[in-house]
Amino acid sequence: MTKEARQVLGLTVAVPGLVDVNGIVRVAPNLGWRDADLAGDLTKALRDPGFPVLVDNDANLAALAEHRFGPHRNAANLVYVTGEVGVGAGIVMDGRLRRGGQGYSGEIGHIELDPAGPTCRCGRRGCLEAVAGIGAILAHTAPDASPSELELEIDEVVRRARNGEQDILALLEDVGRHLGRGMAAVANMLNPEVVILGGYYVPLAPWLVACAEEELYGRVLAPGGGGCRLEVSTLGYGAAALGAAARVLDSVDSGRLPAQR
Ligand SMILES: [Zn+2]
């Protein structure tokens, strides 16, 4: 191998959905996928490339990125929360990503917060993501927005909030409070040192975090919220992609050296 040679160590794909421990995408509602063997299909399409092809949940990978590269990397117990149309969590406890029995941990978007609330994509009512996901905001401001327009529409919400439009401020306060109630459930259960809000929660954070913290600290049994801080991700919309790279590096760190090619 020459000094300048580069070698691909692995390929990891982040998917917003349930990915089982074997890398099968069981359900990805936003993509309309069910039981898709994405890793197998990619390996075949790449003609057995000789490096690992992995598929993982986007929240898990973003949590790995925060744990490895983020400003809270010294926290052994952190939860990353995606702020997309779906809301999911990646959970790092005692320094390790915790996937659960079949790999489905962190589906906090379906914690029921308001039994009389709006219908969730899962078919139930008043789930966290139905009342505090990005869709809950856009249902009021841009109900016909397509997925490709989300970023622009969120920019518009930020602009209106900066202008002090009362209906937008009230909407964001409501979303922030629901988010805080959801995070209180997370903090009561897991006692994280930090909950990191990602995705579209980042630009909206100035109007969400204070209300969310008030609910969080008011609803956690442990004094001071058990030390849980609510922070905003600094890794941007590419956090899951960064975590996909981290996942490959983790396997190298743990001693699985790639074959020289
Ligand atoms: Zn739901």
Side-chain angles (χ1 to χ4, degrees):
M1 199 158 84
T2 66
K3 201 175 165 196
E4 285 77 23
R6 296 284 187 271
Q7 183 177 349
V8 177
L9 297 179
L11 170 68
T12 309
V13 183
V15 176
L18 294 180
V19 181
D20 74 12
V21 287
N22 299 314
I24 311 282
V25 182
R26 288 296 174 201
V27 187
N30 284 338
L31 302 172
W33 292 2
R34 214 166 245 284
D35 298 325
D37 181 10
L38 182 60
D41 290 349
L42 278 172
T43 302
K44 262 184 237 144
L46 293 168
R47 297 177 189 169
D48 294 320
F51 50 75
V53 176
L54 306 171
V55 176
D56 208 336
N57 169 267
D58 59 345
N60 283 347
L61 291 173
L64 274 184
E66 292 286 354
H67 183 56
R68 190 171 182 117
F69 305 114
H72 311 290
R73 59 186 170 274
N74 293 326
N77 301 283
L78 68 83
V79 173
Y80 177 95
V81 179
T82 62
E84 312 290 336
V85 172
V87 177
I91 301 164
V92 173
M93 289 280 119
D94 302 321
R96 289 189 56 198
L97 188 67
R98 301 296 169 173
R99 298 171 181 282
Q102 297 188 348
Y104 305 146
S105 70
E107 288 302 324
I108 61 167
H110 304 284
I111 295 174
E112 185 190 76
L113 291 182
D114 179 3
T119 305
C120 181
R121 289 174 312 143
C122 72
R124 287 172 279 273
R125 296 182 77 94
C127 295
L128 170 64
E129 73 177 47
V131 293
I134 295 311
I137 297 170
L138 297 184
H140 291 270
T141 62
D144 301 323
S146 73
S148 64
E149 296 168 330
L150 290 186
E151 208 167 325
L152 279 177
E153 294 298 344
I154 293 297
D155 287 349
E156 174 65 8
V157 172
V158 168
R159 189 192 66 73
R160 292 175 64 184
R162 281 200 186 118
N163 282 346
E165 293 184 26
Q166 286 305 314
D167 56 334
I168 291 290
L169 296 178
L171 173 65
L172 292 176
E173 179 177 341
D174 194 44
V175 165
R177 291 199 178 284
H178 281 307
L179 182 63
R181 284 173 205 144
M183 294 312 103
V186 170
N188 272 323
M189 189 173 294
L190 298 173
N191 188 209
E193 294 157 60
V194 58
V195 170
I196 302 167
L197 301 176
Y200 296 114
Y201 286 141
V202 175
L204 297 171
W207 300 278
L208 299 178
V209 169
C211 323
E213 279 180 342
E214 202 177 302
E215 294 291 329
L216 171 69
Y217 294 125
R219 289 165 187 270
V220 174
L221 181 63
C228 176
R229 291 171 288 124
L230 202 53
E231 303 279 354
V232 177
S233 177
T234 56
L235 299 182
Y237 293 126
L242 196 58
R247 187 155 169 206
V248 177
L249 295 174
D250 280 347
S251 69
V252 174
D253 288 352
S254 63
R256 265 164 283 159
L257 292 176
Q260 294 279 314
R261 308 184 82 213

